[in-house]
Amino acid sequence: GPTGDINGTSYYAYVDSSTPYHPGKTAKLIGLFISNSTTTLSFSYHMYSDPNDFYDINADHKLEVILRPYNLQNSMWLDEDTILSIEGNQGNIWNTFITIINSGIFQLEFRATTSTKYQGFQSDIAIDHITIGDGGSFNLEPQSPNQEPEPEPESQPEPEPEPEPLSAHETDPET
């Protein structure tokens, strides 16, 4: 994985491809959000596979980002819309993806799949700095498994509420 988050100072979420998480294992990070107007969705991702890795020469790890809108009139989830699907080595750098999304209620899913190669140790996938509009960032600060989220202070309703905090892994310079 990367040596640090996009800013080099904090946390990021990632899928570890080390044993027993390979080959071809899938992890999902899912959140719900409401957008009252057309807005942006942006995030950074890191997908590196060492080109000198003789076991995983053709890296095939994959990141998909899916939006699934909710139809209020029919009270049902609509079909998934894959807004990003990338595979393989994207360089040993953080890349950024930005798109426009319409107003509505959405399920946002990050789906990461490790390499299908038996020795595909070099297929970690990391995401960071997920932002909806001018704010609404997912909280990638880790929580201990027994720690309950702190209650939010009471405030006036906002046009774009923040999604639930999602857990993540602390950066590890050894990976």
Side-chain angles (χ1 to χ4, degrees):
T3 57
D5 73 331
I6 185 123
N7 298 317
T9 59
S10 190
Y11 303 94
Y12 58 90
Y14 77 101
V15 176
D16 185 1
S17 64
S18 303
T19 302
Y21 306 113
H22 74 280
K25 300 296 181 183
T26 299
K28 297 176 182 180
L29 180 65
I30 301 172
L32 298 174
F33 71 94
I34 297 171
S35 175
N36 292 327
S37 62
T38 300
T39 190
T40 58
L41 164 67
S42 66
F43 62 91
S44 297
Y45 62 93
H46 190 283
M47 294 175 61
Y48 176 63
S49 184
D50 186 345
N52 297 316
D53 179 358
F54 296 114
Y55 290 109
D56 201 15
I57 293 172
N58 297 312
D60 65 349
H61 51 306
K62 185 174 188 177
L63 174 64
E64 295 173 290
V65 181
I66 297 146
L67 275 179
R68 188 170 189 196
Y70 185 77
N71 184 314
L72 282 171
Q73 292 174 332
N74 297 330
S75 299
M76 61 185 276
W77 290 102
L78 302 177
D79 292 334
E80 295 180 347
D81 181 18
T82 301
I83 59 173
L84 177 68
S85 180
I86 51 177
E87 187 172 313
N89 184 14
Q90 303 298 311
N92 194 12
I93 59 170
W94 283 98
N95 299 284
T96 300
F97 176 82
I98 302 172
T99 191
I100 303 288
I101 53 174
N102 294 321
S103 62
I105 300 171
F106 295 92
Q107 174 180 296
L108 174 62
E109 178 179 330
F110 291 84
R111 188 180 300 164
T113 305
T114 60
S115 176
T116 59
K117 312 294 191 293
Y118 177 69
Q119 296 289 340
F121 299 109
Q122 304 268 352
S123 64
D124 292 349
I125 301 167
I127 57 174
D128 193 20
H129 200 70
I130 305 164
T131 305
I132 300 167
D134 294 333
S137 295
F138 282 82
N139 181 4
L140 295 180
E141 297 294 324
Q143 294 181 348
S144 70
N146 298 326
Q147 175 185 355
E148 294 200 20
E150 293 183 22
E152 294 288 326
E154 292 187 30
S155 63
Q156 298 297 323
E158 296 178 10
E160 294 180 10
E162 293 187 20
E164 298 280 329
L166 300 174
S167 63
H169 295 278
E170 187 172 348
T171 60
D172 183 357
E174 300 292 320
T175 59

